[in-house]
Each structure stands twice: as structure tokens, then as C-alpha cells.
Amino acid sequence: MQQTTNTLLMIRPVAFRRNEQTAANNYYQKAENGLLPAAINAKAQNEFDHLVLKLEEAGVNVIVLDDTLSPETPDSIFPNNWISFHESADVTIYPMFAENRRWERREDVLDLLEENGFYIEQLVDYSAAENDEVYLEGTGSLVLDRENGKAYCCISPRSDEELMIEFCEDFEMDPVIFDAFQTVDGERKAIYHTNVMMSVGEKFAVICADAIDDSKERKMVLDCLRSDGKEIILITEEQVNGFAGNILQVKGADGKRYIVMSETAKNTFTPAQLKVLEKHGEIISSDLTTIETYGGGSARCMMAEVFLPLQEDEE
């Protein structure tokens, strides 16, 4: 199994704004500051286009699909929460916490990937779990070490433990389950998505170990990463707030490795941390301030990695 891919699916927004339905437990979203929705969306589109351009210049294959105005999906820019693509030719669909995020799921994504030469054998659809108010939001909830067959998940209202274990059984991965917290108004509250506090690359891992309050769980997670030979970069809760955990290693032209992050995240890392990261890939950073402010997500959330086999490989 490969840990990094050269192909990403990204959804260009048409009605991006702060989603009041996700703000219930995404403490990274900020309130509106007087900008009109159209102005927020225009800024988000601009940030999106700049990131896509930088990725393409590095030789990353970016498949862009435009969102639609109806139904209204303010968070469509974050497709990795509702869909994931696997080397087994499986596509996974996930149950979403916010009702208006469920509308993001669209079948034409599969058509577009097939038009781009990818082979899809099976759809693994967990979305019916929404009927029981059970959620698992894709590679937001799950940080996958595909190469070593491990799935990391911090439990939250959006990341159900039993469903996570079911996913691991279906995809033959070992679950690494823990609780992770952030301080909100003096209280420790569950971090809603694992991918804001950790990222796993081929030979490195960025993680906020301080977010794992239970010392045994913390040791267990760090031991799992070390046992797979990962170079660990520890980040603080303050750096998590700057989206330093929301980064992704990708392949560019000729298999060259890159690490994608926002300008906010890059400025949040210390020079020493950036030096360690740069051993594992050249850094691509882009200004995503509007998307981070109103969406509460950053670079990693915007990229759904495509690991599907090509059609000619299946013939």
C-alpha cells in the first residue's frame, strides 16, 4: 500500500460561508465579521484557485469539480470528510454530523474519476449510520497510515468508535483509538477531527501529544508511530490552533515529495520543525485565511486523496 498519492480531488466552492451547523463542535470556526456571504465566497474561491495552481505547478494531478448552488453546501470545499478512495478500487462514503453536509455527497464525483481513467470496483457506504446519529467523517475522523495498515482516530461526536472499528475490519487495518482534547473557554473539550491534531506521512508524523490527556493513551499512540519508524514532530495546542496538524504529504512530478499546508500553519511551525519536515518533502504553502476562519478547516481538509487503480491496470 502507498502512503502518498499524486492525484487529489478538490471541490471548488460556490457558496462558501461559516456553517452554523458544524460550529456546534468545531471550535476553529470564527464568527462572521461583517463580510457579505458573496465576499467570503469570492475570497475562498481565490484561495482555492491559488492552492490548486501551486499543486499543479509542482506536478500534482488535481481533479477539480465545481460545487453547485443547489442544494446549499457551505462546507463542500472539504470533500475528504464524506469520501475516500482506496488502492483496492473501493470508494468509501461516510456519515456526516451536520445535515447540510450530507448534501455534499454526489454521484457525479465517481463519474468524473472514471472519466479521468480510474477504476472503481465497489462502493462501501456507511452513510445509513446517520439514521442512528452515528458519524465517522472520512479522513477528518481517520488519519490513515495506509502503508502500515493503521487507522488513527480520536473519538468525538463526529467520530464513532464502533463504526471506526467496523471500517478497520472492512479495510483490514488496525485501529488506534484515543481521546484528544483542546481547551475551550477554560474547559477540555473533544477535538472534533483527528486530522487537526495529527498528520502521518511516509516517514514522519506531526502530532499534538499534549492533546491526549491520558498518559497511557498518549504513550500507546506515540509507540505506534515509533514502531513504524516515523520521525515524530511534536506540536503544541497553540500550533494546532494554527492548523499545523492539518497538513498532507503528496507526490508531485517524478515522484518528488511535497508537504502541503497553509501559510498560517507554516508560520506556526518553528524553524527547527520546518527543517525536519523539509527532509520529508518540499513545503507547498498557500494563504487559506478565509477558508480557515469561516470553515474551521485548512489545507488537508480540502484534498481528497485518490489511490484508485487506473483502468488499464485492471484490464
Side-chain angles (χ1 to χ4, degrees):
M1 290 288 177
Q2 296 184 69
Q3 180 60 14
T4 54
T5 179
N6 175 250
T7 303
L8 304 170
L9 170 76
M10 296 178 67
I11 308 287
R12 191 173 190 270
V14 293
F16 176 83
R17 59 171 171 79
R18 180 177 182 267
N19 185 354
E20 63 290 337
Q21 291 187 22
T22 55
N25 49 30
N26 177 348
Y27 306 110
Y28 303 96
Q29 287 172 251
K30 304 293 186 287
E32 311 279 352
N33 63 359
L35 276 182
L36 291 170
I40 293 170
N41 183 66
K43 281 174 171 281
Q45 285 179 332
N46 192 39
E47 291 172 3
F48 177 94
D49 293 342
H50 274 98
L51 177 58
V52 169
L53 185 63
K54 287 184 177 186
L55 289 165
E56 289 177 338
E57 284 174 348
V60 181
N61 176 28
V62 186
I63 299 170
V64 175
L65 186 63
D66 286 311
D67 191 17
T68 54
L69 279 169
S70 180
E72 192 188 0
T73 48
D75 279 328
S76 61
I77 199 169
F78 304 132
N80 80 309
N81 297 145
W82 69 266
I83 194 165
S84 64
F85 308 98
H86 305 267
E87 275 185 68
S88 55
D90 294 327
V91 174
T92 311
I93 307 294
Y94 297 91
M96 305 292 287
F97 168 80
E99 285 187 30
N100 63 4
R101 292 215 63 190
R102 298 169 194 175
W103 301 334
E104 293 173 31
R105 297 189 291 245
R106 37 193 290 197
E107 286 182 18
D108 59 346
V109 164
L110 307 181
D111 298 333
L112 182 64
L113 286 165
E114 288 177 332
E115 284 166 21
N116 276 268
F118 291 99
Y119 174 69
I120 297 168
E121 184 174 299
Q122 182 177 228
L123 205 59
V124 182
D125 190 347
Y126 301 112
S127 62
E130 289 164 354
N131 300 330
D132 300 315
E133 297 184 353
V134 168
Y135 314 110
L136 187 70
E137 297 193 331
T139 52
S141 296
L142 302 165
V143 171
L144 302 178
D145 185 346
R146 297 169 189 259
E147 212 169 11
N148 294 294
K150 287 179 183 163
Y152 293 83
C153 182
C154 63
I155 300 309
S156 79
R158 301 207 210 171
S159 305
D160 180 78
E161 183 169 350
E162 285 183 23
L163 190 55
M164 188 267 181
I165 290 168
E166 185 181 332
F167 168 90
C168 288
E169 287 170 352
D170 290 344
F171 285 89
E172 298 180 350
M173 300 187 93
D174 295 325
V176 183
I177 298 168
F178 55 97
D179 291 304
F181 302 91
Q182 62 189 134
T183 302
V184 182
D185 299 328
E187 283 182 62
R188 295 296 274 169
K189 296 197 173 180
I191 290 179
Y192 80 111
H193 276 167
T194 315
N195 78 354
V196 297
M197 55 80 65
M198 74 179 292
S199 173
V200 175
E202 289 169 332
K203 301 290 182 192
F204 74 92
V206 171
I207 183 168
C208 179
D210 290 346
I212 308 172
D213 290 353
D214 184 285
S215 58
K216 285 182 182 170
E217 284 191 351
R218 189 186 317 127
K219 182 179 185 303
M220 178 270 295
V221 174
L222 292 172
D223 285 349
C224 275
L225 293 166
R226 288 194 185 102
S227 70
D228 293 323
K230 305 294 185 191
E231 182 167 22
I232 294 174
I233 298 151
L234 293 173
I235 56 173
T236 64
E237 187 171 330
E238 189 180 355
Q239 289 177 306
V240 170
N241 290 332
F243 298 100
N246 201 241
I247 67 176
L248 185 67
Q249 186 183 36
V250 300
K251 284 181 196 155
D254 303 319
K256 184 178 175 181
R257 270 46 172 184
Y258 292 90
I259 299 172
V260 188
M261 65 183 70
S262 69
E263 285 290 347
T264 309
K266 187 178 181 185
N267 293 334
T268 299
F269 282 112
T270 66
Q273 288 171 328
L274 286 173
K275 198 171 177 183
V276 175
L277 277 172
E278 283 167 342
K279 289 194 298 184
H280 302 282
E282 188 179 316
I283 289 169
I284 295 175
S285 65
S286 199
D287 178 17
L288 303 174
T289 308
T290 309
I291 294 163
E292 291 172 332
T293 300
Y294 296 103
S298 189
R300 196 277 166 266
C301 300
M302 296 167 64
M303 300 178 284
E305 302 157 277
V306 180
F307 287 92
L308 296 167
L310 291 167
Q311 287 165 10
E312 65 240 30
D313 295 339
E314 295 300 315
E315 288 170 3

